[in-house]
Amino acid sequence: MDPRDCLRFGDNLCQSQSTKGEQQEEVSIFILHASKLFIQHFHSSYREGVVKANEVFHQPHSKGVGSRILVEGHAGSGKSTICRKLALDWAQEESHGQNCPSTCVHCFELLILLHASNFMGKESIEAVIEEHLLPKDNQITTEDLSNLLRTKRTLILVDAYDEACSKNTLLDQLIAKDFLRGSTVMVSSRFGHTQALLSHFNTVYSVEGFDYDQKLQHVTKFAANENKDVEDFDPLIEQLRRNLEDISSNPLHLTLLLLLYSEEGEVLLNTRTELYAAIHHFILTKASVRMGIEEAQLERTHMQPLYKVAFETFKENKSVFELKEAAGMVKAEDIVQLGYVTQEFNISRFKKEQRFAYPHRSIQEFLSAKHLLMSSTDRHTWLPGLKQNYGHWRSVGLFLLALMGREPAERQEGDIVELCEAIMQATRFNMMHRHQHHAFLR
């Protein structure tokens, strides 16, 4: 049985974290990718030159002992892109010929791509794979799967550890090499969620933002993908030099800026929240035309219920929700038409419900903040949770704070002060968080 034929499909992607103190290295990664195109370069801070995507697994390790690799970065920096690109290269068996090192992704006989949340509540890696990756009509027994994992050189990619880092016992054990010690595990995560596991990682990568030349390359690729002349984007490129320098360093945000500019011909914004608000207005306008409903009515009857779904699912730490979870809030036939979520292709033999996914975690966070902006009842109930679990709610809280400043009519007197006090109590307002909050709100 060829393991490549066993686990080709998956209905979830993943990110995760962990480090082992055998040979720790600090590496920063520059990711170059455009819409529908992925080109990645890894810049190494511990030696001169460039570490390419196919050299991520250069780390030598003892015979029979796999390595643990952590990839950290901010939201939208390209962590999931790395996981998907590696999985795509492996599945397509596209080697780089003589330039392909012996430690590239093709050296693995078996590659498994999972989301960190897939591990929650499970007692074995076999159970995770059977539920989330194997098709309904597969002929692989649990014993066959166990044998493959033990005998094949395996790479396990785990995406979004930050989205499922609490009480995720099985995943933490995998990172700590309590089982599958000979397999290589690469985990992606936002910063600040992996401190307790750092000693288990052999190599730590951090995903850095674009420099100016990389921004230009991204614009060029986007223009080619949209069949437009790159000169059409010259006014936006000039803005990237000035007021959009920081925000455009993020690959996701730069792509959103390009989409807005491509459709509307100008971009009048300066902060992250203004960018997401502009994208929201763009989506609302398109959905209004597509569905034949006035924007004000669409916002009230369709968008506001979707905000609540986003908030309730985020509260449960879910990035994917089933149709039954939206029952009574938004109709099934309207969910995809709104343009904010996509229906997932489901191959699992255990999951038969229609499932919907947000395009990115930060989109779900923004929609959750929109709900809290409009629901004073949920906002006051939520504030204690912000203080107790600030790592989970940080982006939602900062989006909400910025939205309150943009839309004062949507708040009652004192709400901004109350939210600021909650954030200060949660962070003790130390200098590290002060810097992070300033960067977020710029």
Side-chain angles (χ1 to χ4, degrees), residues 1 73 136 203 210 261 276 321 335 379:
M1 180 187 302
K136 301 171 184 177
T203 309
F210 286 156
Y261 187 84
Y276 280 78
F321 65 93
I335 291 178
R379 184 167 65 248

Side-chain angles (χ1 to χ4, degrees), residues 6 61 121 128 196 230 237 254 302 315 389 427:
C6 300
H61 51 270
V128 175
V230 69
I237 291 174
L254 179 54
H302 292 71
K315 186 164 61 176
N389 192 5
T427 62

Side-chain angles (χ1 to χ4, degrees), residues 66 129 186 188 315:
I129 295 170
M186 188 178 106
S188 70
K315 186 164 61 176

Side-chain angles (χ1 to χ4, degrees), residues 229-330:
D229 293 331
V230 69
E231 290 79 10
D232 294 341
F233 294 88
D234 283 347
L236 178 62
I237 291 174
E238 181 59 29
Q239 284 186 272
L240 301 184
R241 296 178 186 271
R242 297 182 285 107
N243 57 313
L244 297 177
E245 181 178 359
D246 289 337
I247 192 173
S248 61
S249 296
N250 183 291
L252 172 63
H253 296 158
L254 179 54
T255 301
L256 294 178
L257 286 168
L258 288 166
L259 287 169
L260 279 176
Y261 187 84
S262 179
E263 292 288 334
E264 301 183 356
E266 62 178 359
V267 175
L268 302 176
L269 53 88
N270 294 290
T271 69
R272 201 167 320 195
T273 303
E274 288 176 346
L275 172 60
Y276 280 78
I279 287 292
H280 172 68
H281 182 263
F282 170 76
I283 291 175
L284 182 64
T285 301
K286 292 289 186 181
S288 174
V289 174
R290 185 166 54 248
M291 300 173 72
I293 304 174
E294 292 185 0
E295 287 186 27
Q297 180 183 347
L298 187 67
E299 171 74 19
R300 183 177 63 258
T301 60
H302 292 71
M303 285 297 188
Q304 289 184 18
L306 186 64
Y307 302 158
K308 184 171 179 61
V309 174
F311 172 72
E312 294 296 338
T313 52
F314 190 83
K315 186 164 61 176
E316 299 296 324
N317 209 10
K318 296 178 180 178
S319 57
V320 177
F321 65 93
E322 296 180 356
L323 181 59
K324 61 185 179 184
E325 296 177 88
M329 289 185 274
V330 61

Side-chain angles (χ1 to χ4, degrees), residues 23-24 52 76 81 118 146 168 182 215 238 246 311 381 403:
Q23 290 182 327
Q24 275 201 4
K52 297 182 180 178
T81 298
N118 297 155
S146 297
N168 200 336
K215 292 176 187 179
E238 181 59 29
D246 289 337
F311 172 72
T381 304
L403 287 172

Side-chain angles (χ1 to χ4, degrees), residues 369-427:
K370 290 283 287 185
H371 171 71
L372 291 170
L373 180 70
M374 297 178 177
S375 173
S376 59
T377 301
D378 281 350
R379 184 167 65 248
H380 292 304
T381 304
W382 162 79
L383 277 173
L386 172 66
K387 301 174 189 177
Q388 296 167 8
N389 192 5
Y390 186 70
H392 178 71
W393 288 109
R394 173 183 172 272
S395 292
V396 174
L398 294 177
F399 269 133
L400 176 59
L401 182 60
L403 287 172
M404 283 181 168
R406 285 172 48 85
E407 305 176 37
E410 297 290 346
R411 62 175 174 81
Q412 295 181 359
E413 189 67 29
D415 283 348
I416 289 182
V417 174
E418 186 179 19
L419 178 57
C420 288
E421 288 178 346
I423 292 174
M424 293 173 70
Q425 290 174 21
T427 62

Side-chain angles (χ1 to χ4, degrees), residues 9 34 70 85 106 183 208 223 264 277 291 312 319 347 352 402:
F9 307 101
L70 173 62
K85 172 60 175 170
H106 303 103
S183 299
E208 303 294 339
E264 301 183 356
M291 300 173 72
E312 294 296 338
S319 57
I347 63 165
K352 298 182 173 23

